[in-house]
Amino acid sequence: MLECTVAVVREKAKPFTLETVRLEDPRPDEVIVRIVGTGVCHTDMIVRDQYYPTPLPAVLGHEGAGVVEKVGSAVTKVKPGDHVVMAFGSCGHCLNCQAGKPSYCLELYGYNFGGSRPDGSTPFSNPAGERISGCFFCQSSFGTHALALERNVVKIPQDVPLEIMGPLGCGIPTGAGTVINALQPKAGTSIAVFGAGSVGLSAIMAAKIVGCTTIVAVDLHDERLNLAKELGATHIINARRENPVEMVQKFTNGLGAHFTVESTASPKVFRQAVEAVRVTGTCALVGASALGTEVTFDMNSFLFGRTVKGVIEGDSIGDVFIPQLVELWKQGRFPFDKLIKFYDLSDINEACAASESGAVLKPVLRP
Ligand SMILES: NC(=O)c1ccc[n+]([C@@H]2O[C@H](COP(=O)([O-])OP(=O)(O)OC[C@H]3O[C@@H](n4cnc5c(N)ncnc54)[C@H](O)[C@@H]3O)[C@@H](O)[C@H]2O)c1
Ligand SMILES: [Zn+2]
Ligand SMILES: [Zn+2]
């Protein structure tokens, strides 16, 4: 049993409060990580606001990086003192996990949003005897310590700054993996990324890495678009001033882009991202909207060989993809640290507000 400080959401859409709780010792397949830095992802805010009904009160946070403090009796992958990033959770035994597609785990919702272990227990308790949801993305990393599964901790080298690595747990690999793993554009092709938040900008950095020669960024904020240019965009479009579909067509000789990525979660933008794809091209949907959100299309948009592909967590396998992104960062080819601004864990509400207003791309909380 360990006393730790965590940020708790008690009521829908209300601020986080810092509380002291007790964290259970790890079970055989579990690992306790002392958090060094944890990223704030848009998904934390939509769960705080209960777009997805993780039971409250809950400890959220799913981009944690830190040092292994304790391991369960059956754990062999890591040992105390190892540096790790925590990725999303998956069961490891369903058909999709067995097929090497853990982001499409048939138990993905329970493992990431259920608020408990599969047996319904939560590792947190407080003196009042209250049930506090934990195990968010198999970590709940908004705190000084987190309990993860051996399966979702990813060992990283000790010679990289651990405090910036947490975002490699979700938002950054989601954007990068949508390009590198899911769309797999050939060198010389074109891509338009709708939304230049941390996910979209990661997609843009990845598009540069794989050799796309026309890389279009679409957003509403000029500062984000300027950063997109610095990170690899060849063209930028401010959708407040210009029609993004017409502009993407203009930048691609009237054909539309080979690939588009939708990372705004807006139905209007999803439609634009489909309309901006050329005949036989592919649009990847990444933005996570509230359950029940509907969208309309002209059926003919799809008739001409176009594909729309939903992509979860960038089709990534944490143990494979996170070390690859660390290596690309070390080589200076994937400078995701440019998106980060540090906050104290106690300033979590300020960090979320800065992310929601667009002022900060990727807040990272340090306990
Ligand atoms: N599929 C997954 O596995 C997965 C994983 C992580 C995050 N997400 C989702 O991905 C999305 C992006 O995450 P993020 O952290 O980058 O969020 P973000 O809020 O930082 O970025 C969204 C961007 O879209 C821009 N935008 C909004 N409306 C627009 C419009 N009409 N036209 C052009 N741009 C517009 C915003 O200005 C912002 O820069 C979120 O919906 C998040 O929940 C999905
Ligand atoms: Zn599974
Ligand atoms: Zn996330």
Side-chain angles (χ1 to χ4, degrees):
M1 197 72 91
L2 184 79
E3 280 228 323
C4 53
T5 304
V6 292
V8 181
V9 190
R10 293 207 150 262
E11 282 178 70
K12 176 177 171 171
K14 289 280 160 57
F16 294 87
T17 52
L18 282 202
E19 300 182 16
T20 304
V21 293
R22 287 192 296 249
L23 181 61
E24 276 179 13
D25 281 334
R27 293 186 180 181
D29 59 343
E30 292 175 345
V31 175
I32 289 186
V33 177
R34 176 174 59 78
I35 298 292
V36 171
T38 185
V40 175
C41 171
H42 198 77
T43 306
D44 295 304
M45 268 99 66
I46 67 179
V47 174
R48 176 199 62 193
D49 300 345
Q50 295 278 283
Y51 283 29
Y52 301 154
T54 301
L56 302 182
V59 181
L60 308 179
H62 65 287
E63 293 186 348
V67 181
V68 174
E69 194 151 298
K70 281 188 191 177
V71 297
S73 57
V75 171
T76 56
K77 187 159 95 179
V78 291
K79 58 181 190 313
D82 282 348
H83 289 189
V84 293
V85 170
M86 287 170 279
F88 62 94
S90 57
C91 78
H93 50 70
C94 74
L95 281 176
N96 291 343
C97 282
Q98 303 254 32
K101 296 184 182 302
S103 61
Y104 304 97
C105 172
L106 298 176
E107 295 177 35
L108 194 77
Y109 187 85
Y111 270 78
N112 294 284
F113 297 98
S116 69
R117 298 186 179 95
D119 69 2
S121 66
T122 137
F124 294 121
S125 58
N126 66 9
E130 230 180 345
R131 185 190 187 287
I132 300 172
S133 287
C135 306
F136 184 65
F137 279 70
C138 293
Q139 50 185 290
S140 290
S141 52
F142 285 162
T144 53
H145 295 80
L147 179 128
L149 289 174
E150 174 179 32
R151 193 171 154 75
N152 73 305
V153 294
V154 177
K155 193 169 154 178
I156 60 162
Q158 303 246 354
D159 65 347
V160 293
L162 189 51
E163 67 272 16
I164 66 168
M165 295 293 159
L168 295 183
C170 178
I172 307 271
T174 290
T178 296
V179 175
I180 294 173
N181 301 323
L183 295 175
Q184 300 186 7
K186 289 195 177 137
T189 56
S190 52
I191 186 165
V193 178
F194 288 73
S198 57
V199 169
L201 290 170
S202 301
I204 285 166
M205 287 185 271
K208 182 177 173 190
I209 290 168
V210 302
C212 290
T213 43
T214 302
I215 304 174
V216 186
V218 187
D219 204 284
L220 304 173
H221 299 288
D222 287 329
E223 330 80 79
R224 291 192 169 200
L225 291 167
N226 291 335
L227 181 58
K229 212 152 188 190
E230 201 184 307
L231 296 174
T234 56
H235 302 78
I236 55 179
I237 300 169
N238 187 322
R240 282 191 212 280
R241 296 195 292 267
E242 292 170 311
N243 178 324
V245 177
E246 283 173 18
M247 294 305 286
V248 170
Q249 272 157 358
K250 184 173 154 204
F251 299 146
T252 52
N253 300 322
L255 296 171
H258 289 92
F259 302 97
T260 58
V261 176
E262 189 319 289
S263 78
T264 72
S266 148
K268 184 182 96 187
V269 179
F270 182 23
R271 181 172 175 143
Q272 291 170 349
V274 169
E275 289 175 350
V277 161
R278 68 177 57 188
V279 165
T280 76
T282 302
C283 167
L285 171 65
V286 179
S289 53
L291 296 175
T293 304
E294 297 196 351
V295 58
T296 56
F297 294 103
D298 181 332
M299 281 171 69
N300 296 292
S301 323
F302 294 95
L303 203 56
F304 292 87
R306 291 186 178 90
T307 302
V308 172
K309 186 181 169 77
V311 182
I312 297 291
E313 296 289 339
D315 280 8
S316 65
I317 299 172
D319 284 311
V320 176
F321 198 48
I322 291 174
Q324 291 174 348
L325 293 179
V326 171
E327 188 56 34
L328 285 163
W329 178 82
K330 280 171 82 173
Q331 293 185 5
R333 298 161 75 194
F334 188 65
F336 71 93
D337 53 300
K338 290 197 174 158
L339 315 186
I340 290 175
K341 181 171 176 197
F342 291 110
Y343 288 84
D344 286 338
L345 176 63
S346 54
D347 295 327
I348 180 171
N349 294 309
E350 196 190 311
C352 291
S355 164
E356 288 176 296
S357 73
V360 173
L361 280 151
K362 179 55 73 179
V364 169
L365 306 172
R366 288 190 293 198

